[in-house]
Amino acid sequence: MGLFSSRKSKKKYATLTSKSKLTLDVVDDNKWQKCKRCNEIIYNEDLKNNLNICPKCGNYFRLTAFERIELLIDHGTFFEEDMTINSKNILDFSGYEEKLEVAREKSRMLDGVISGVGKINGIDVSIAAMEFNFMGGSMGSVVGEKITRALERGLEKKIPVVIVSSSGGARMQEGIVSLMQMAKTSGAVKRLNEAGIPFISVPVDPTTGGVTASFAMLGDVIVTEPNALIAFAGPRVIEQTVNQKLPKGFQRAEFLLEHGMVDVISERKDLKETIYRIIEKLI
């Protein structure tokens, strides 16, 4: 049996298609959220209208993969690709099927990334957006495959590639197969680079582990949001390894910009325009 299987999407899983907006037949009974920075109680509708940013202190809440696509892609131009690929328990890992079903119900996705083609201010792009709500955005065989296909789609169509990363790293339930995705995605980036096609990487909070150690940090330009956590290992692990106290703000976007690990920090309201201006200069 192969690593991947395809099936028709059930209605309970939302997808994005061209000429349409995202709609979910889910009623959220939780009408309020608490900001972790300032403890403000925020009405969900107000939070949504403010791009999931706390209106009091400016703290960034996370966006879903669907919201990322809506934020960046011109309305009515996105067409989802590879939407029916889903993970299989190839290592017979105990409880993995149950975890996948819980993740699918929670995220309304078959796996941890959306990919497809669309336009950013009229420019054709191949785009992928990872979903942290799907098993912590972990990169298994399907996520790696869809990221690779998004990169190869850019190569085939000769259009820029934009990938929004949000991940806890490799998916442990798929073992070495998951780790192999680091090499596969990096190889696809290399082929894109050799062809001179722009790759804009957008690691957002949080991007860690094998995703950081592979394609997320290989963009021609790396753009992120304020205070985003971008790292390989956690600070406690690093402190224990080097036996030193880490500097304040270590692994946050501003520290990484100062030390040359990322190129641009953009406010969320300006992110689409920032990516557009970068692509416009590179094509």
Side-chain angles (χ1 to χ4, degrees), residues 199-229:
F199 167 40
I200 311 304
S201 180
V202 189
V204 296
D205 187 78
T207 300
T208 63
V211 170
T212 303
S214 56
F215 67 88
M217 302 307 290
L218 295 178
D220 296 303
V221 180
I222 300 175
V223 183
T224 188
E225 294 178 332
N227 200 43
L229 173 65

Side-chain angles (χ1 to χ4, degrees), residues 19-86:
K19 310 298 183 185
S20 65
K21 278 190 173 182
L22 167 68
T23 57
L24 292 175
D25 56 344
V26 179
V27 176
D28 184 6
D29 292 328
N30 184 6
K31 301 295 183 183
W32 306 86
Q33 290 197 53
K34 183 177 181 180
C35 178
K36 294 181 180 179
R37 180 188 291 176
C38 69
N39 295 322
E40 180 80 357
I41 304 299
I42 312 164
Y43 186 46
N44 275 347
E45 193 66 25
D46 292 339
L47 191 62
K48 181 179 179 181
N49 291 337
N50 199 40
L51 297 178
N52 272 23
I53 301 172
C54 176
K56 182 178 180 181
C57 70
N59 181 42
Y60 277 44
F61 288 68
R62 293 170 186 164
L63 294 176
T64 66
F66 295 118
E67 290 169 331
R68 287 288 174 188
I69 296 294
E70 291 185 330
L71 176 70
L72 298 178
I73 297 298
D74 298 348
H75 172 60
T77 67
F78 181 73
F79 183 82
E80 186 177 356
E81 302 276 5
D82 307 317
M83 66 179 71
T84 59
I85 302 176
N86 63 100

Side-chain angles (χ1 to χ4, degrees), residues 164-184:
V164 183
S165 305
S166 181
S167 175
R171 189 173 299 178
M172 59 171 290
Q173 290 86 351
E174 295 187 18
I176 189 64
V177 176
S178 176
L179 295 177
M180 287 168 61
Q181 307 310 309
M182 296 171 62
K184 183 167 74 175

Side-chain angles (χ1 to χ4, degrees), residues 29 65 88 107 109 119 135 157 188 209 212 240 257 268 274:
D29 292 328
K88 298 168 63 176
S107 66
M109 294 170 57
K119 296 179 183 292
M135 297 186 70
K157 296 179 179 291
T212 303
Q240 291 175 347
L257 178 66
R268 186 170 288 170
T274 298

Side-chain angles (χ1 to χ4, degrees), residues 239-253:
E239 285 184 344
Q240 291 175 347
T241 301
V242 302
N243 200 27
Q244 294 181 17
K245 186 70 176 176
L246 299 175
K248 185 178 180 180
F250 181 71
Q251 299 180 325
R252 293 290 173 176

Side-chain angles (χ1 to χ4, degrees), residues 146-163:
K146 292 183 73 170
I147 293 291
T148 300
R149 291 190 187 190
L151 291 159
E152 291 176 340
R153 198 169 292 120
L155 183 61
E156 176 188 354
K157 296 179 179 291
K158 294 181 170 53
I159 58 176
V161 178
V162 177
I163 299 179

